[in-house]
Amino acid sequence: MTRLDPPQQALSSFVSSFTLFSPAEERFAGDRVRMVRAEEAARLDRLESQVENGGGGASEYLCLVGKLKARRSDKVLKHGLSILNDPKARSKLGGEEWTLYEQVAFAAMDCQQHDVAKDCIAILSKEFPGSTRVGRLEGLLLEAKGAWAEAEKAYERLLEDNPLDQLIHKRKVAIAKAQGDLSSAVNLLNKYLEIFMADHDAWRELAEIYMSLQMYKQAAFCYEELILSQPTVPPYHLAYAEASGLVLYTIGGLENLQTAKKYYASTITLTGGKNTRALYGVCLCSIAINQLTKGRNKEEKDGSNLQSLAAEALQRDYKERAPKKLPLVISMLKNMKLNS
Amino acid sequence: MGAECYYEVSQIAYIKLVLHALKHRSAAVNGLLLGRLRQDGGATATVEIADTVPLSHSQIGLLPALELALIQIEEHFEAQGLSVVGYYHANERHDDVELGNAAKKIGDHIFRYFPRAALDNKKLERMQPSKSRDPVVQLYTRDSSKSWRQTGSDGSNQLTLKEPAANVVLLDYISSEKWQEIVDFDDHLDDISKDWLNPGLFN
């Protein structure tokens, strides 16, 4: 049991580009989507325990894993292989057989079972000679083995015939990231986004990398792009608010705080007041703004009721769902002078 | 710090922080170390790290969340005579054992309140099924030139596990996938009914 090593890290990047679920996507799943996912996730869990206990339903389970892009590689590997190794079960799949080989190949790579992956890819390669999709799998296997230079070469070759293949471009970014070369990753992503500017996945990934490099202004810019194209997705507002707040710590500027507060507020509106981080965010911004505007003209001070409303909402929420923590929160708000 | 200062990590603190890192294998994680200073007489002192509160597993640089957590955590632990004595951090890539800028900044922040602050950087490679007594973390302390330096590079053992069998217990928890149950402050912010104190984790 270990932390992920670089090849596994690489697989985590843009893994949603293939059939697996990316962490960046998870973080930004809107609440409604998350709810739907929760129901389907529950169904997935039920199916999983059914299959695990010998109750059948393996192909349905594998299908759902693929649809939800859930990362359950050890189970997929186990049950996928049992179907593929059984000629009768395999023939029942018909055309789906090949997608299953692909799915099992990914799972095998994620579980470090490179030989199994190699076998699946060989079978697919025989069935679909010269296929780009299979070529990508081969590249991915090289990545999984940590053979970065070879993987890059393989992708370059594929790009010659398919210069606009988004998935391959993104794999190059994943390789850079896994090797810790974040500035290359940033460059590659920026070039990619010049061509594919509607790729939200890529904007999110770029924002996250900027945040980890503490380049908050650049991260904020990415979130602006996302808000422009999808204005009602709360996580983007929240992320933009957080990034703006951080711009303040590095570059300073009252307007960054005000931007942050504005977007925490819009997050609250979009989520019906249910987002804890946004409520806290409003409170923190208000104190900081008040501190910065001490002694300034009244007009420049922030006079809205927003902070006391947020404080009230927080207290109500804690009273209902986490009463043990309520005294701590009340005391904190009092210290922050938001509790009258 | 002129005098020798030792750091002793309790089993609970140690296990919680390792489990936290294992729960979020593909992200950087961090958290706070709670403890107290114990004068051993003479010039030596020991910082007892009694407990930890896992903070986050995503955007590490977020100072606002840190402020919130610090206020609530300090208030809570004051009653037990504990205060924030340090910070732990595990990098995203397991072969990256450098102390990152975010970690240093947070360390500096804590240092203002507690001068003997300790910074733990985890080098969690493949956990060998060994029963060694050494903790799988690296300790950093701040010297007078305001930079964080790794201790123990000169062979001295400043960081010890209070209960020698801690690694054995840890391996046991790992095999039972105990890390699924760890809650950090980040999880709390997503769902406030989750408790960052992790009560009942070791029952």
Side-chain angles (χ1 to χ4, degrees):
Chain A
M1 182 71 205
T2 64
R3 298 266 283 161
L4 293 188
D5 56 19
Q8 283 177 304
Q9 268 305 95
L11 285 182
S12 299
S13 293
F14 293 127
V15 127
S16 71
S17 316
F18 293 95
T19 57
L20 300 176
F21 200 51
S22 109
E25 196 178 321
E26 166 70 42
R27 193 164 123 76
F28 286 104
D31 289 310
R32 198 174 72 87
V33 175
R34 206 184 268 146
M35 250 177 13
V36 170
R37 285 233 168 92
E39 288 164 27
E40 290 185 309
R43 187 165 140 234
L44 184 65
D45 288 331
R46 277 197 304 272
L47 266 175
E48 188 174 278
S49 58
Q50 181 185 314
V51 178
E52 285 281 296
N53 294 323
S59 8
E60 197 192 337
Y61 168 70
L62 290 166
C63 227
L64 192 55
V65 168
K67 180 174 157 223
L68 293 182
K69 302 188 188 179
R71 195 167 180 178
R72 311 239 173 151
S73 302
D74 49 351
K75 306 282 190 312
V76 169
L77 186 58
K78 189 162 110 185
H79 301 297
L81 276 182
S82 67
I83 295 182
L84 290 173
N85 287 330
D86 174 359
K88 259 202 308 194
R90 214 170 60 219
S91 60
K92 267 199 241 168
L93 293 171
E96 294 294 307
E97 179 183 352
W98 312 113
T99 350
L100 185 57
Y101 274 114
E102 192 187 34
Q103 195 179 9
V104 168
F106 285 132
M109 286 188 256
D110 209 17
C111 296
Q112 320 277 62
Q113 307 265 16
H114 299 148
D115 291 329
V116 173
K118 193 160 143 229
D119 290 337
C120 292
I121 296 175
I123 294 174
L124 283 169
S125 183
K126 222 168 96 177
E127 182 69 20
F128 304 101
S131 142
T132 309
R133 189 161 161 177
V134 177
R136 283 196 299 250
L137 272 178
E138 286 165 353
L140 205 56
L141 182 56
L142 288 167
E143 280 187 62
K145 291 183 180 166
W148 310 120
E150 289 178 52
E152 271 195 70
K153 265 197 245 146
Y155 289 136
E156 287 297 329
R157 276 199 303 270
L158 287 171
L159 277 174
E160 276 169 18
D161 295 326
N162 308 274
L164 290 181
D165 188 316
Q166 294 180 267
L167 300 181
I168 301 180
H169 280 285
K170 292 206 272 197
R171 287 327 301 168
K172 287 172 60 181
V173 177
I175 292 176
K177 242 184 110 185
Q179 293 180 280
D181 188 357
L182 291 180
S183 48
S184 290
V186 164
N187 284 338
L188 286 168
L189 265 174
N190 274 312
K191 278 207 219 110
Y192 173 86
L193 283 164
E194 274 168 40
I195 313 174
F196 303 106
M197 54 195 80
D199 187 337
H200 301 139
D201 205 23
W203 282 112
R204 281 190 302 253
E205 186 77 32
L206 183 55
E208 298 238 337
I209 298 179
Y210 277 137
M211 291 292 273
S212 69
L213 290 170
Q214 290 155 44
M215 295 166 69
Y216 303 121
K217 203 141 184 73
Q218 289 85 337
F221 175 75
C222 296
Y223 292 126
E224 275 174 11
E225 288 290 322
L226 287 165
I227 293 177
L228 274 173
S229 55
Q230 296 183 285
T232 57
V233 172
Y236 296 154
H237 289 248
L238 187 62
Y240 186 52
E242 287 172 345
S244 302
L246 286 165
V247 173
L248 174 80
Y249 282 105
T250 46
I251 304 179
L254 183 60
E255 61 281 358
N256 290 305
L257 261 187
Q258 286 161 334
T259 307
K261 186 166 167 178
K262 190 166 129 194
Y263 279 88
Y264 280 126
S266 59
T267 309
I268 295 177
T269 313
L270 286 171
T271 56
K274 298 227 179 68
N275 190 302
T276 313
R277 289 174 203 267
L279 292 170
Y280 271 125
V282 162
C283 295
L284 288 170
C285 280
S286 307
I287 313 168
I289 291 176
N290 286 336
Q291 276 178 349
L292 280 184
T293 56
K294 235 185 228 168
R296 289 204 201 174
N297 290 336
K298 276 242 163 79
E299 293 92 61
E300 284 186 12
K301 272 197 192 288
D302 192 79
S304 74
N305 272 338
L306 191 54
Q307 52 266 41
S308 34
L309 285 174
E312 271 173 38
L314 270 175
Q315 286 173 83
R316 264 200 316 268
D317 217 12
Y318 269 90
K319 188 157 173 210
E320 202 177 291
R321 290 168 43 201
K324 279 198 231 154
K325 293 277 183 293
L326 184 58
L328 282 181
V329 172
I330 293 183
S331 156
M332 183 190 81
L333 290 172
K334 210 180 278 182
N335 285 335
M336 290 155 73
K337 296 195 176 69
L338 289 169
N339 204 1
S340 38
Chain B
M1 296 284 121
E4 272 302 304
C5 189
Y6 292 98
Y7 297 84
E8 193 183 75
V9 184
S10 78
Q11 183 165 298
I12 312 177
Y14 178 64
I15 293 184
K16 264 197 213 172
L17 65 80
V18 175
L19 288 180
H20 186 215
L22 290 175
K23 183 173 179 187
H24 304 285
R25 291 195 301 155
S26 59
V29 298
N30 65 358
L32 293 175
L33 306 172
L34 281 309
R36 56 170 79 82
L37 182 62
R38 194 180 72 212
Q39 289 292 128
D40 292 330
T44 56
T46 304
V47 175
E48 290 179 2
I49 299 171
D51 204 347
T52 58
V53 173
L55 279 179
S56 61
H57 56 270
S58 49
Q59 296 298 0
I60 294 291
L62 286 183
L63 291 175
L66 180 69
E67 293 287 341
L68 285 177
L70 268 174
I71 298 176
Q72 292 192 23
I73 290 171
E74 289 202 325
E75 167 116 8
H76 175 87
F77 282 97
E78 212 178 7
Q80 297 171 32
L82 297 174
S83 54
V84 174
V85 301
Y87 166 80
Y88 73 83
H89 185 106
N91 288 317
E92 200 172 89
R93 287 167 36 245
H94 92 136
D95 53 357
D96 174 8
V97 294
E98 286 303 307
L99 193 60
N101 280 329
K104 284 191 188 131
K105 281 216 188 95
I106 298 176
D108 288 338
H109 195 79
I110 294 175
F111 183 82
R112 286 191 287 140
Y113 301 105
F114 190 79
R116 292 181 204 255
L119 223 54
D120 271 342
N121 197 12
K122 278 175 291 180
K123 50 176 173 71
L124 288 183
E125 292 141 14
R126 226 153 267 278
M127 283 263 323
Q128 302 296 348
S130 75
K131 312 234 162 84
S132 82
R133 294 158 169 239
D134 296 325
V136 289
V137 297
Q138 272 170 308
L139 175 69
Y140 289 79
T141 52
R142 201 164 118 155
D143 64 18
S144 42
S145 65
K146 294 200 183 159
S147 59
W148 291 94
R149 281 191 311 123
Q150 190 179 337
T151 62
S153 43
D154 54 353
S156 67
N157 222 0
Q158 267 179 282
L159 177 67
T160 50
L161 290 173
K162 184 164 169 212
E163 289 94 336
N167 270 330
V168 178
V169 179
L170 177 62
L171 284 169
D172 189 41
Y173 278 132
I174 290 175
S175 54
S176 62
E177 301 201 355
K178 195 76 171 167
W179 33 268
Q180 306 260 19
E181 297 172 34
I182 278 262
V183 169
D184 60 21
F185 207 82
D186 232 2
D187 296 324
H188 174 74
L189 287 177
D190 285 331
D191 176 358
I192 57 176
S193 61
K194 292 195 177 151
D195 194 344
W196 42 263
L197 282 172
N198 291 290
L201 181 67
F202 297 114
N203 286 351

